[in-house]
Structure formats: C-alpha cells, structure tokens
C-alpha cells in the first residue's frame, strides 16, 4: 500500500504509470506539445539551448534503441528467471522505501532553505534587478527540488536496467562470451545516456525558463551573468540525494556481501553466490541499489555540479572582462556535455569483439574491448572539445583565447585518461600491485591486510601529482589567454581550471557505461551460480565480473579526480558569492588566524568521522546478517544438503531496514556541520569585531575537508578494489585457488575492503561536492 507521503519520487513514478495507461496517440500529442513548449522557450533564450535540446532528445532515442535491443534477448531457463525476479523485487522494494525517505527529507530541507532565503539579505545586483527575496527563495527551492527529483530518477534508471539486464547476460553466457559482454555494456550505455542527458536537459530547461520568466537582460532586470547563481539549488538537490543514495545503498550491499562471505566462504567453505547461502539474494540486490542506483545519482550530481560551477565562473569572468556577449562562456558547459552524449554513443557502439567465435578462449580480453571503446571516445572528445571552444569561446577582445581554453580541455581529457590508467594499474590483477597483494595472502590474514593498506596509501601519490599538475597547467593557460579586466589584470585563470574540469568530464557517459557494466556482470555471475549452470558458463561470468571490478574502481578514481577539480571551482564560486553579499573583496583566507585554522581542523575531522560512521554502519549491519545466516545453518541443517531452502527474505529485510536507519547519522552530520560551524563563528566574529570570520572559517573548513576527502577516498577506493581483485586472482587458480588458506586470507582482505570501496569511499567524493554546494547556497548565513 502506497502512502501519499512517500515523497516526490513515488508521485513521479505514479504519474508515469498513469501515463502508460493513456492511449498512445494522446501521449504522442502531449509529448509534442511539451516538446514544442520547451523548444519555444529555448528559442527565446538562445540557439545554443535549441542545439542542446536536440542532442539530448536524440540521445534519449538512442537509449530507447539500446533498451529494446537488450530486452529483446532471452531471459534463459525458468530457474534463472525465478532468481532474477527475486532480485528485482528486492531492489525495487528497497528503492521505493529508501527514496521515499530521502524525498521526505528533501521536502523538509527545501522548506528550511525557503525560510533562510526569505530572511536573508540581497546582493546589490539583485536589488537593482528587482529580484526580491520571495522570488529568489522560490527559484532556489524550485531548483533544489528539481535537482533532487532528477537525481532520484537517475538512480532509478540505473537500477531499472540492471535488474533486467543481469539475467539476460547470464543467459547469453551459456551461448557466447561475446554476446554476454555486449549485453552488459549496452545495458550500461542505456543508463549512462539517460543520466547524462537528464543532467544536461534539466539545467538547460531551468536556465531557459528562468531566462524567459525573469526577463533577463531586459531594461532594469537581472543580467545573464547573474543567472547561473540561481541554479546552485539544482546542484545542491542532486548532491543531497546522491549522498543518501550512496550511503544507504553502500551500507546495504556491503553488509550483505560481508555477511555472506564470512559465513558462506570462510566458515562453511561454499562458493560465492551459492544458493545455499541465505544472504546471497540480499548481496545481489545490494549490487543494484548500491552500485547502479547510487552511481547513477552520483554521476548525475558530478556533472550537474561541474556544469553549474563552470557557468558561474564563466559568467563572472565575462562580466569582469566586459565581454559584449557573455552567453557563450555561460552556455559552454552545456555544449561540451551535449557532445559528450554524441561521442559516448559512438564509443558504446564501437565496442565489439573482433573474432567470430564466442568461446571464452577466443574472446578478446574484455578490458581491452572496453578500453578500445574508451580510446575512440577520447579521440572524438579532443576533436569536439576544440570545435566547442572555437564556437563558444571566441571573442574579438582576445582572438586566441579559445585556443588556450582548448588546451585547458586537453589537459582535463589527459587527466581523466591518466586517472583511469593509474586506477587500473593498482586494481587490475594483470598488474604487479594486485599480484603482490595476492602473494601476501599466502603468509596469512595479517600480511594480506598490511599489504592492502600499504597499497592503498601508496596509490594516493600519483593521482595527487596528476591533479596538481592539471590545476596549475589549466590555471596558467587560462591566465595567459589574453582576457583581462578593467585594470588590465589577467582574468581567465579560474575559468581555465573550469574548462579543464569540463574536459575531464567530457567522456562521462562512456565512463558511467563502464561502471554500470560491473554490477550487471556481478549479478549475472550470481544468477549463474545460484541456478547451478555448468562450470564453463561460470568461467565466462567470472572473467566479466573481474573486469567489472576494475571498471568500477576506475570510475571511482575518475569521480574523485573530477570531484577535486569541481570542488575547487565551487570554492572559488563561494568566495565570489561572499564578495557579492559582503560588499568587500574576499579572495584570501589566512590560516594563521586561530579560528580559521580550527575551521580547517574541523573540516579534516569531518572526513575521518564520516568515514568511521559509514564503515561502522556496515560492520553493525553485517553482524546482524552473520548471526542470521549462522542461525539458519544451525536450525536448518538440511540447507547444506539442498534438502531445505534458505529464508532469503529474512536477510533482505535485515539489511534493508538497517541501511535506512544507519544512513541518517552520517548524512545529517554532513549537512549540519558546515551550517552550524559557519553560523557559530559568525556570532563569535560579531562580538569580537571580525565581521567575515564565519565566512573565513567555512572557507577553511571546506578547503581542508576537500583535501582530506580526496586523499581518504583515493586510499579507500583503491585498497578496497585491490583486495577484491586479489581474491579474484586467487580464484582463477593461482596460489592454491579456491578453498586454500591463501584464498581464505584473501577473503578476509576483501571483507575489510568492502565498506572501503563501496560505502565510505564513494560517499566521500559526493560529500566534498555537497559541502561545496551547501556552503555556496548558505553563504549569506555566514555573514
């Protein structure tokens, strides 16, 4: 029974179901009317918006084609379908409950934002344009709720395709490794195109509606350079949903995984995903709600935050440089990601095995197949990025500036490629680090843990060096672009870093495709094992699963790198926002001031405390699962002889309720901390004669939290991925194979790494971007 209070997302899904019952001709008329209205508003805004709309609609049509292709494949024998249905029911049931909870929290937070904006001060620009507090509050809250809704739908799309593609990959693996690979990849491609397309379309529609509704650039109205600041709520809403989706989904999937492994593999000595394990269905459900739904919301949030921050910095720079038509610098991010949809679609269709045979021995290395598609996408990204900069960023004031910004984009693209390579090197068992970690398992559980921790710590060095070089290079290229302000000072440095961030995310749709490939392949392997298919079929899904572990790890590394650059941009936007409200320059933060230094310490502390709470949540929930699985094995001895069927639903219920309960505390900590700290130091600054103290402390808080969060996320994600693939490497037959003492030690390492790589690590890079967006939204509170 559905409750009317289940929130925005459930209302949205109910509307979709209602629309599906309407006559197709009526729906077609409604669609064309809606599309006509959007194109009319877009045409009144800019031809660029019309171009973006067109590309997004084409990408949606391509995603529909991919969906039909995937769903046309058979689901296999009844035993596979039965397992798939159980996974689907569990995932959809948890999703509705979780997102209903998130929706209610989003509505409460939206009301809080409305109240704050109604009592806050206005900037001089807003006062001149007649943009009163009520309109500003309404716009921000509407942006926030739309961002939250779109982020939720992005998560649903990721989960929807995964629970339908997994059984089809399992069925295909009985015939051809090549077909199984293609189904998993194209299913991931559908989700990726929809998620990226929704992010671009949502911001474009919001921008165009605000442009027309507020009468931008008419006499005595808001200027187009101020419009991007009204979109900040959209990014905050996306971050809010992504954080709780990642926390709840991560706790769910890893608690079930840890419980299943500790009792099933270590104590009972049965294979992974064995149908005798009572926690196996909960584990497979977790792959969908944790890796697919959460990752869809996560990347949606990453793209949204990067687009909005780049639009803000582009508008600010254009205003300072007195550029006659600043719209090109503001709309440039939308064009880049429109081309991302085009080139990623080409990359997805370019991934195919060159050989005719579909046997495992004849199959190209799946990772090389995926890498080939990524290489095609990267090459096209370089070409389209150069075209975009020439089209959107050319200005008579600095005729060669577009070339400098094209080089900034190239820096970002190269950074993304290097990040993918570094993460692959540290997490793929074809390379030395993971094999060394596997070898450490031969001397016991302790040496495996020591080797994994040291590998994770070491893996932070190269990414940080790459990020540092990228930021400095992009800033220098923007600084020397020839764009100067009224005083003759170079003004393009920060926008150069924004362009580099866009370059890094210019292949985001293909990266998400590779990420979605992982949990789909993992679920397919589970279905094959549970339905007791021949060993030859399991070998195919094992290979795909191991590659999926690497692609998931590379995506997380990619997300961390983009989060670092996006947070830097949002930090700069925050300082500009404080300047606007305080009416004094705010471009430096002195950490030698005791209160400011304390703010930095609190920011670093937040990262460690948040990570601890996230990992301990997995541990507590896993203990409940372990106790339940042990109880069933004791009370139902016939399970091991296949004489009794385990109670899968009990484990599903345990992890579902616990994950919803456990996600609240760390999520609330992330939202409340910056607001409480900024407001507290604002009061202290008022009584001590330092009016900007609250803003300065929050700036230090954000800066230190970003730095600590990036390092911690790199460590957690890489160590967890390496532990997982070290276990997979041993399971291929190396160092004694399955069931050996070496394998048991590797299982322990994988168990330790589970909350690292799928709960705390992915949540951290969402956290640092959410901290940046919430400080940007709440900037007036700190003054």
């Amino acid at each position: 029974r559905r409750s009317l209070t289940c929130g925005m997302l459930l209302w949205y899904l109910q509307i979709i179901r209602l629309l599906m019952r309407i006559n197709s001709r009526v729906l077609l008329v409604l669609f064309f009317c809606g599309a006509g209205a959007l194109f009319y508003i877009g045409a009144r805004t800019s031809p660029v918006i019309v171009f973006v709309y067109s590309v997004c609609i084409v990408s949606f049509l391509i995603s529909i084609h991919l969906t039909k292709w995937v769903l046309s494949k058979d689901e296999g024998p009844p035993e596979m379908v039965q397992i798939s249905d159980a996974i689907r029911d569990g995932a959809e049931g948890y999703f509705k409950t979780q997102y209903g909870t998130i929706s209610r929290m989003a509505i409460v937070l939206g009301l809080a934002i409305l109240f704050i904006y109604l009592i806050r001060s206005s900037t001089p620009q807003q006062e001149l344009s007649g943009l009163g507090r009520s309109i500003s509050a309404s716009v921000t809250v509407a942006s926030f709720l739309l961002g939250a809704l779109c982020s939720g739908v992005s998560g649903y799309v990721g989960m929807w395709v995964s629970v339908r593609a997994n059984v089809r990959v399992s069925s295909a693996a009985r015939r051809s490794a090549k077909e199984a690979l293609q189904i998993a990849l194209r299913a991931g491609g559908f989700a990726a195109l929809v998620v990226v397309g929704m992010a671009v379309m949502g911001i474009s529609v919001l921008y165009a509606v605000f442009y027309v509704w507020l009468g931008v650039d008419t006499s005595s109205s808001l200027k187009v350079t101020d419009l991007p600041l009204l979109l900040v709520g959209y990014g905050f809403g996306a971050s809010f949903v992504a954080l709780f989706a990642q926390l709840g989904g991560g706790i769910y999937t890893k608690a079930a995984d840890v419980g299943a492994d500790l009792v099933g593999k270590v104590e009972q000595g049965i294979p992974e995903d064995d149908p005798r394990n009572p926690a196996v269905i909960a584990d497979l459900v977790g792959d969908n709600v944790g890796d697919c739904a959460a990752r869809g919301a996560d990347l949606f949030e990453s793209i949204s935050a990067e687009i909005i921050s780049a639009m803000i910095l582009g508008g600010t720079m254009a205003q300072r440089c007195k550029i006659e038509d600043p719209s090109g610098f503001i709309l440039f991010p939308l064009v880049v990601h429109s081309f991302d949809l085009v080139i990623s679609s080409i990359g997805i269709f370019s991934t195919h095995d060159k050989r005719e045979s579909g046997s495992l021995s004849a199959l190209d290395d799946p990772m090389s197949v995926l890498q080939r598609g990524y290489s095609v996408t990267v090459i096209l990204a370089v070409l389209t990025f150069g075209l975009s900069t020439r089209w959107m960023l050319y200005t008579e004031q600095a005729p060669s500036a577009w070339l400098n910004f094209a080089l900034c984009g190239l820096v970002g693209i190269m950074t993304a490629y290097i990040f993918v390579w570094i993460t692959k090197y540290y997490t793929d068992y074809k390379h030395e680090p993971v094999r060394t970690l596997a070898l450490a398992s031969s001397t016991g559980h302790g040496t495996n843990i020591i080797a994994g921790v040291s590998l994770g710590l070491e893996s932070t060095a190269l990414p940080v060096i790459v990020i540092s070089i990228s930021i400095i290079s992009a800033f220098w290229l923007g600084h020397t672009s020839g764009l100067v302000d009224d005083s003759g000072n170079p003004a393009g440095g920060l926008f150069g870093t924004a362009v580099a961030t866009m370059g890094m995310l210019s292949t985001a749709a293909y990266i998400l495709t590779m990420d979605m490939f992982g949990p789909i392949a993992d679920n397919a392997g589970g279905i094959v094992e549970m339905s007791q298919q021949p060993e030859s079929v399991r070998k195919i899904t094992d290979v795909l699963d191991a590659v999926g572990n690497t692609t998931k790890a590379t995506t997380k590394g990619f997300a961390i790198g983009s989060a670092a650059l996006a947070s830097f941009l949002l930090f700069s936007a925050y300082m500009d926002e404080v300047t606007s409200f305080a009416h004094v320059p705010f471009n430096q933060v002195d950490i030698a001031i005791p209160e400011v230094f304390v703010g930095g310490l609190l920011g670093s502390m937040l990262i460690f405390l948040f990570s601890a709470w996230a990992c301990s949540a997995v541990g507590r929930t896993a203990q409940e699962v372990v106790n339940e699985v042990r109880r069933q094995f004791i009370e139902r001895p016939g399970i091991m002889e296949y004489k009794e069927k385990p109670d899968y639903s009990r484990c599903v219920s345990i992890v579902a309720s616990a994950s919803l309960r456990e996600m609240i505390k760390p999520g609330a900590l992330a939202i409340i901390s910056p607001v409480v700290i900024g407001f507290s130091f604002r009061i202290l600054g008022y009584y001590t004669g330092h009016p900007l103290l609250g803003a300065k402390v929050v700036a230090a808080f954000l800066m230190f939290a970003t730095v600590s969060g990036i390092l911690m996320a790199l460590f957690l994600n890489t160590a967890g991925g390496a532990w997982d693939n070290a276990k997979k490497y041993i399971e291929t037959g190396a160092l004694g194979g399955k069931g050996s003492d070496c394998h048991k030690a590797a299982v322990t390492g994988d168990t330790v790494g589970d909350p690292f790589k799928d709960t705390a690590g992915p949540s951290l890079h969402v956290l640092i971007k959410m901290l940046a967006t919430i400080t940007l939204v709440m900037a007036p509170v700190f003054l």
Side-chain angles (χ1 to χ4, degrees):
R1 189 180 62 182
R2 295 183 178 89
S3 168
L4 292 178
T5 60
C6 63
M8 299 176 299
L9 181 62
L10 297 185
W11 274 111
Y12 180 84
L13 297 177
Q14 289 171 355
I15 291 171
I16 292 294
R17 293 190 185 97
L18 179 63
L19 291 175
M20 291 175 67
R21 298 174 186 170
I22 300 176
N23 183 279
S24 58
R25 293 181 180 179
V26 176
L27 280 178
L28 193 62
V29 171
L30 291 174
F31 170 78
F32 279 112
C33 289
L38 286 179
F39 273 94
Y40 173 73
I41 294 173
R44 289 189 57 188
T45 305
S46 170
V48 175
I49 295 294
V50 176
F51 168 78
V52 173
Y53 283 175
S54 303
V55 173
C56 288
I57 289 174
V58 171
S59 73
F60 291 147
L61 294 176
I62 294 173
S63 67
I64 291 172
H65 167 73
L66 291 174
T67 308
K68 289 183 176 179
W69 186 87
V70 170
L71 296 181
S72 68
K73 304 299 179 181
D74 73 284
E75 295 181 310
E79 57 268 23
M80 282 188 173
V81 176
Q82 183 180 7
I83 297 166
S84 174
D85 288 344
I87 296 170
R88 183 187 307 178
D89 291 342
E92 292 182 345
Y94 174 75
F95 183 89
K96 291 176 182 177
T97 305
Q98 182 196 29
Y99 276 72
T101 302
I102 295 173
S103 298
R104 289 191 290 272
M105 292 190 295
I107 292 172
V108 172
L109 185 56
L111 293 174
I113 295 172
L114 179 65
F115 174 75
I116 291 171
Y117 268 63
L118 286 174
I119 64 173
R120 75 172 196 167
S121 59
S122 302
T123 65
Q125 292 88 348
Q126 290 173 338
E127 292 173 358
L128 289 173
S129 64
L131 189 64
R133 293 179 184 177
S134 58
I135 295 179
S136 179
S138 302
V139 164
T140 303
V141 172
S143 300
F144 171 80
L145 294 177
L146 180 62
L149 175 63
C150 291
S151 183
V153 174
S154 296
Y156 180 77
V157 166
M159 184 271 298
W160 186 91
V161 68
S162 176
V163 297
R164 286 161 176 79
N166 52 15
V167 68
R168 290 170 169 84
V169 174
S170 302
S171 178
R174 298 179 304 139
R175 300 184 298 272
S176 163
K178 172 183 176 181
E179 185 183 352
L181 172 66
Q182 268 199 323
I183 293 173
L185 186 66
R186 292 194 174 188
F190 155 73
L193 293 177
V194 172
V195 169
V196 177
M198 279 186 58
V200 177
M201 191 75 170
I203 295 176
S204 302
V205 169
L206 208 58
Y207 179 91
V209 169
F210 288 166
Y211 187 97
V212 174
W213 176 40
L214 298 174
V216 172
D217 279 344
T218 59
S219 58
S220 301
S221 72
L222 197 70
K223 299 300 180 185
V224 69
T225 50
D226 298 319
L227 187 56
L229 281 171
L230 300 178
L231 306 177
V232 172
Y234 187 88
F236 183 29
S239 299
F240 174 81
V241 171
L243 180 66
F244 282 98
Q246 191 68 69
L247 272 173
I251 293 168
Y252 188 114
T253 182
K254 290 303 107 180
D257 195 3
V258 169
D261 284 353
L262 285 179
V263 183
K265 285 186 178 181
V266 178
E267 295 182 8
Q268 299 295 330
I270 58 178
E272 185 174 3
D273 300 326
D274 191 288
R276 293 170 290 180
N277 195 324
V280 69
I281 290 292
D283 183 13
L284 296 175
V285 170
D287 290 334
N288 296 285
V289 299
D291 288 333
C292 294
R295 198 77 73 248
D298 179 4
L299 199 64
F300 175 89
E301 179 269 339
S302 294
I303 295 171
S304 300
E306 174 266 327
I307 289 176
I308 293 169
S309 58
M311 292 174 78
I312 291 172
L313 292 177
T316 302
M317 186 198 69
Q319 190 174 32
R320 290 176 57 193
C321 297
K322 298 294 190 294
I323 293 175
E324 185 176 350
D325 182 12
S327 61
F329 290 85
I330 296 172
L331 299 178
F332 176 62
L334 297 175
V335 172
V336 169
H337 285 291
S338 297
F339 279 119
D340 172 21
L341 292 168
V342 175
I343 63 176
S344 294
S345 299
I346 296 172
I348 291 166
F349 284 106
S350 71
T351 52
H352 59 276
D353 196 287
K354 294 180 178 178
R355 309 184 187 193
E356 293 298 324
S357 172
S359 67
L360 179 63
S361 59
L363 178 69
D364 283 353
D365 174 22
M367 192 65 203
S368 68
V369 175
L370 300 180
Q371 193 72 33
R372 189 161 59 236
Y374 182 53
S375 298
V376 170
T377 307
V378 167
I379 292 171
L380 292 175
V382 173
L383 298 175
T384 56
F385 206 95
L387 174 64
S388 300
T389 51
R390 180 62 180 82
W391 174 25
M392 302 296 295
L393 303 183
Y394 179 81
T395 174
E396 294 292 342
Q397 293 177 229
S400 62
W402 72 270
L403 182 59
N404 281 50
F405 291 128
L407 294 175
C408 291
L410 182 61
V411 168
I413 294 170
M414 291 174 59
T415 300
Y417 193 87
I418 294 171
F419 252 84
V420 169
W421 182 87
I422 291 172
T423 310
K424 180 175 176 292
Y425 172 74
Y426 277 109
T427 57
D428 193 335
Y429 63 60
K430 294 181 178 61
H431 301 292
E432 182 182 356
V434 173
R435 296 198 173 200
T436 302
L437 175 57
L439 184 61
S441 305
S442 63
T443 53
H445 301 254
T447 50
N448 170 278
I449 299 301
I450 293 170
V453 170
S454 63
L455 184 151
L457 293 171
E458 178 188 322
S459 69
T460 62
L462 285 178
V464 168
I465 292 172
V466 171
I467 290 173
S468 303
I469 293 173
S470 300
I471 291 175
I472 293 173
S473 301
F475 187 90
W476 181 82
L477 286 167
H479 191 73
T480 57
S481 63
L483 291 170
V484 296
D485 59 18
D486 289 338
S487 304
N489 298 317
L494 282 177
F495 187 67
T497 60
V499 174
T501 308
M502 285 182 269
M504 190 169 185
L505 284 168
S506 62
T507 57
Y510 189 85
I511 292 291
L512 182 58
T513 298
M514 292 199 299
D515 183 74
M516 291 289 185
F517 169 88
I520 292 172
D522 191 359
N523 256 213
I527 292 173
V528 166
E529 183 71 44
M530 289 195 70
S531 59
Q532 299 179 319
Q533 298 298 310
E535 184 65 22
S536 59
V537 180
R538 180 70 198 194
K539 283 183 179 179
I540 291 175
T541 55
D542 278 347
V543 171
L544 297 180
D545 185 18
V547 171
N549 282 332
T550 302
T551 59
K552 287 191 291 184
T554 55
T555 304
K556 292 167 189 171
F558 171 86
I560 293 167
S562 64
L565 293 176
S567 297
F568 177 71
L569 302 182
L570 289 166
F571 179 77
S572 302
Y574 165 74
M575 298 186 79
D576 287 342
E577 181 80 339
V578 172
T579 299
S580 298
F581 279 98
H583 314 310
V584 294
F586 184 70
N587 47 29
Q588 291 182 345
V589 180
D590 186 358
I591 61 172
I593 299 173
E595 294 88 348
V596 175
F597 183 71
V598 167
L601 282 178
L602 292 173
S604 296
M605 177 273 292
L606 172 66
I607 297 301
F608 285 83
L609 184 59
F610 179 89
S611 302
W613 284 0
C615 290
S616 64
V618 174
R620 283 191 298 271
T621 308
Q623 287 175 344
E624 296 182 44
V625 176
V626 167
N627 291 334
E628 173 61 23
V629 175
R630 285 174 177 169
R631 183 192 66 79
Q632 291 197 34
F633 277 128
I634 293 171
E635 296 180 2
R636 301 184 181 187
I639 289 177
M640 291 300 293
E641 286 78 33
Y642 296 99
K643 295 178 181 178
E644 291 185 77
K645 188 176 180 180
D647 184 2
Y648 300 121
S649 61
R650 178 60 185 159
C651 290
V652 171
S653 175
I654 288 172
V655 292
S657 60
S659 59
L660 290 172
R661 179 181 67 249
E662 296 284 359
M663 75 178 184
I664 301 298
K665 187 168 75 169
L669 174 73
I671 295 170
I672 295 171
S673 294
V675 179
V676 170
I677 290 171
F679 188 70
S680 300
F681 279 95
R682 171 193 173 178
I683 295 174
L684 179 62
Y686 175 79
Y687 286 106
T688 57
H690 296 86
L692 289 181
L693 184 62
K696 291 178 180 178
V697 169
V698 169
F701 175 89
L702 181 59
M703 187 187 306
F704 280 59
T706 300
V707 172
S708 301
I710 290 167
L711 292 172
M712 179 68 82
L714 286 169
F715 162 68
L716 295 175
N717 283 329
T718 309
W723 266 316
D724 195 349
N725 269 352
K727 178 197 69 176
K728 289 287 192 299
Y729 174 61
I730 294 171
E731 288 175 347
T732 63
L735 302 172
K738 294 182 180 180
S740 64
D741 290 339
C742 184
H743 181 238
K744 290 180 180 178
V747 170
T748 300
D750 180 36
T751 302
V752 173
D754 276 340
F756 283 20
K757 67 183 175 68
D758 287 321
T759 306
S763 298
L764 279 176
H765 70 256
V766 180
L767 170 66
I768 59 177
K769 285 177 289 185
M770 196 194 74
L771 290 175
T773 53
I774 195 172
T775 53
L776 188 56
V777 171
M778 300 294 182
V781 176
F782 311 139
L783 300 174

